[in-house]
Amino acid sequence: MEPSTETNQEQKEEQEVVTPWEVSGKDGGKIDYDKLVDRFGCQRIDQSLIQRVEHLTSLPAHVFLRRGVFFAHRDFAEILNAYEKGDKFYLYTGRGPSSEALHLGHLIPFMFTKYLQDAFKVPLVIQLTDDEKFLWKNLTVDECRRLARENAKDIIACGFDISKTFIFSDFDFVGGAFYRNMVEVAKRVTYNQAVGIFGFTGEDHIGKVSFPPVQAVPSFPSSFPHLFSGKDNLRCLIPCAIDQDPYFRMTRDVAPKLGYHKPALIEALFFPALQGETGKMSASDPNSAIYVTDSAKDIKNKVNRHAFSGGQDSVEKHRQLGANIEVDIPVKYLSFFLEDDAELEHIKKEYGAGRMLTGEVKQRLVQVLTELVERHRTARANVTDEMVDAFMAVRPLPHMFD
């Protein structure tokens, strides 16, 4: 049993801020993930865990797992131990719908969650926190609800299995057993604990302070009686970006007091902005990210003009010194989305030695991203309102563990 200090481990340290609503490195620099893992109290994913996943699923590990995009965890080994003994689990992830179009960083958790659903053959609940966005953003309730449905189309386009997937929006679903669990959590977290975990101040309205239980309780199976009735012992695995960790540190403190397993987490790095790892992807700067609505021309222009390069400032110097691939954004993006390990290693080697030029690396990235975005756009165009209704219908999933 872990000590209940889990909820008190996040201290703002040397101006590095990582909360569900704000991410910034020290003095505008890169996030120090080693420090973050220590501060949050999670563990690094090691090679032995990746090999166990491959062994249990009889499939190669997803590229995000192999390359350390999903790099940290809480109790993932326990999920694998239980699965090995024949105990299934369910997946829970989500999206705060605050924009019309998703960028590639938004797709990463869903691409990985689809792999987990297919590999382990388990059910999935996806929470659309339209209420959270109403509380944090200058949006109306109706606009948040509309964006939730639009974002649901992008999520469905990732290829989730409807016989194993339930998508819900908080404004439409919260009530009943779900609300009862929210109140159970709320009663067990003090205001001081909430301030310590989330950094709330006296200027924050009480809607913000009351929100965390809403995101906590999908990790309890009894919140979904239409799916998991009588299965209160079912474990939950949450794939998410590491900035969501504070919610689940709180949840893991409370879960045993309510008779549930602590939810396990598998956590991802932040996807860098085109301008570099110190840059932030911003909805107000469309050139900071590649969006799933971008045309092939948009993608080419953004990569060529805005993707931060680790190459030298003249061909002669580049041939002599090679590229700094540690800061090069095209190489980083390829490490997310280029499937072929051998090709990626070849590019890193040749580019780092100066035998390959920045333009060539960017050209390959444009090809990879254009294919990815075109594939997604085609899939999304085939998602109808009726399909959204079907995924969001409150219904049993009789084949969810098949």
Side-chain angles (χ1 to χ4, degrees):
M1 175 104 174
E2 292 165 319
S4 61
T5 52
E6 260 191 70
T7 51
N8 299 320
Q9 278 172 345
E10 177 174 313
Q11 299 296 323
K12 281 190 183 178
E13 175 184 301
E14 300 177 327
Q15 302 112 32
E16 181 167 285
V17 179
V18 177
T19 73
W21 311 285
E22 184 186 356
V23 175
S24 60
K26 182 188 174 188
D27 300 324
K30 288 166 64 171
I31 297 294
D32 186 327
Y33 288 106
D34 288 327
K35 269 190 186 169
L36 197 59
V37 165
D38 289 344
R39 199 166 101 218
F40 280 6
C42 39
Q43 288 81 43
R44 284 264 183 182
I45 291 173
D46 60 20
Q47 199 54 41
S48 66
L49 264 183
I50 296 171
Q51 286 166 350
R52 281 198 70 197
V53 169
E54 293 185 322
H55 172 69
L56 288 171
T57 61
S58 304
L59 290 169
H62 192 279
V63 66
F64 293 163
L65 205 49
R66 294 201 306 272
R67 296 185 190 153
V69 174
F70 278 80
F71 75 107
H73 75 100
R74 294 179 183 271
D75 291 349
F76 186 44
E78 287 192 23
I79 288 276
L80 298 181
N81 292 343
Y83 186 82
E84 198 163 21
K85 292 175 189 157
D87 293 338
K88 295 277 189 164
F89 58 92
Y90 73 100
L91 295 161
Y92 156 40
T93 194
R95 158 98 185 121
S98 60
S99 60
E100 195 88 39
L102 276 62
H103 58 60
L104 293 183
H106 293 140
L107 281 188
I108 284 166
F110 294 109
M111 293 167 74
F112 188 65
T113 301
K114 174 178 161 42
Y115 150 76
L116 291 172
Q117 182 182 58
D118 293 347
F120 288 99
K121 301 181 176 60
V122 290
L124 161 67
V125 295
I126 299 174
Q127 180 181 44
L128 300 172
T129 55
D130 42 8
D131 52 343
E132 179 203 16
K133 292 308 170 188
F134 172 71
L135 293 169
W136 262 267
K137 303 277 186 183
N138 187 24
L139 296 167
T140 64
V141 169
D142 285 347
E143 181 66 358
C144 293
R145 293 183 71 200
R146 187 187 72 78
L147 290 171
R149 282 188 67 90
E150 287 303 306
N151 286 186
K153 291 176 182 175
D154 281 301
I155 293 166
I156 291 166
C158 292
F160 292 108
D161 181 345
I162 194 166
S163 72
K164 293 179 165 62
T165 306
F166 173 54
I167 302 176
F168 66 99
S169 95
D170 289 340
F171 276 135
D172 291 341
F173 183 70
V174 171
F178 193 101
Y179 182 69
R180 289 193 289 276
N181 279 339
M182 281 169 49
V183 175
E184 292 276 13
V185 170
K187 192 174 180 178
R188 287 166 176 82
V189 180
T190 68
Y191 175 69
N192 282 346
Q193 282 177 308
V195 168
I197 301 161
F198 299 103
F200 295 130
T201 70
E203 302 304 305
D204 286 316
H205 58 69
I206 60 173
K208 291 183 178 182
V209 181
S210 66
F211 176 74
V214 186
Q215 191 160 322
V217 303
S219 51
F220 305 152
S222 66
S223 297
F224 305 101
H226 65 289
L227 298 177
F228 306 130
S229 181
K231 293 186 169 71
D232 285 1
N233 211 32
L234 196 62
R235 293 174 186 272
C236 176
L237 174 64
I238 304 168
C240 60
I242 197 166
D243 61 335
Q244 300 299 303
D245 190 88
Y247 281 117
F248 302 113
R249 292 207 300 284
M250 179 194 80
T251 309
R252 285 166 57 83
D253 270 359
V254 174
K257 300 170 190 171
L258 299 178
Y260 300 110
H261 290 294
K262 294 183 177 191
L265 285 92
I266 184 162
E267 300 179 315
L269 306 166
F270 302 118
F271 189 65
L274 280 167
Q275 284 78 1
E277 287 199 274
T278 56
K280 280 193 287 225
M281 285 187 283
S282 164
S284 59
D285 179 8
N287 291 320
S288 66
I290 304 290
Y291 286 83
V292 295
T293 48
D294 284 347
S295 67
K297 186 181 175 186
D298 292 332
I299 293 169
K300 185 176 181 180
N301 284 341
K302 284 183 180 184
V303 169
N304 286 337
R305 291 179 188 171
H306 301 288
F308 185 83
S309 169
Q312 305 300 330
D313 49 18
S314 71
V315 173
E316 187 183 3
K317 202 171 165 188
H318 183 83
R319 296 285 189 209
Q320 182 189 347
L321 300 173
N324 178 357
I325 61 172
E326 291 305 309
V327 300
D328 190 88
I329 285 296
V331 168
K332 286 200 186 298
Y333 276 32
L334 285 169
S335 69
F336 279 81
F337 297 120
L338 179 61
E339 292 278 343
D340 188 326
D341 290 341
E343 186 185 355
L344 181 67
E345 283 313 305
H346 174 77
I347 289 170
K348 284 181 172 178
K349 185 179 170 188
E350 296 298 297
Y351 188 39
R355 290 187 292 273
M356 191 178 243
L357 298 174
T358 299
E360 296 171 273
V361 180
K362 285 188 171 184
Q363 186 180 3
R364 184 66 182 113
L365 177 62
V366 168
Q367 287 174 340
V368 169
L369 295 184
T370 303
E371 282 172 27
L372 174 70
V373 169
E374 289 292 342
R375 198 163 58 240
H376 181 84
R377 192 160 45 232
T378 302
R380 192 192 191 281
N382 290 322
V383 177
T384 62
D385 284 324
E386 289 74 21
M387 285 170 70
V388 175
D389 291 339
F391 269 93
M392 297 182 79
V394 177
R395 69 212 189 274
L397 299 176
H399 303 293
M400 61 187 173
F401 290 115
D402 294 354

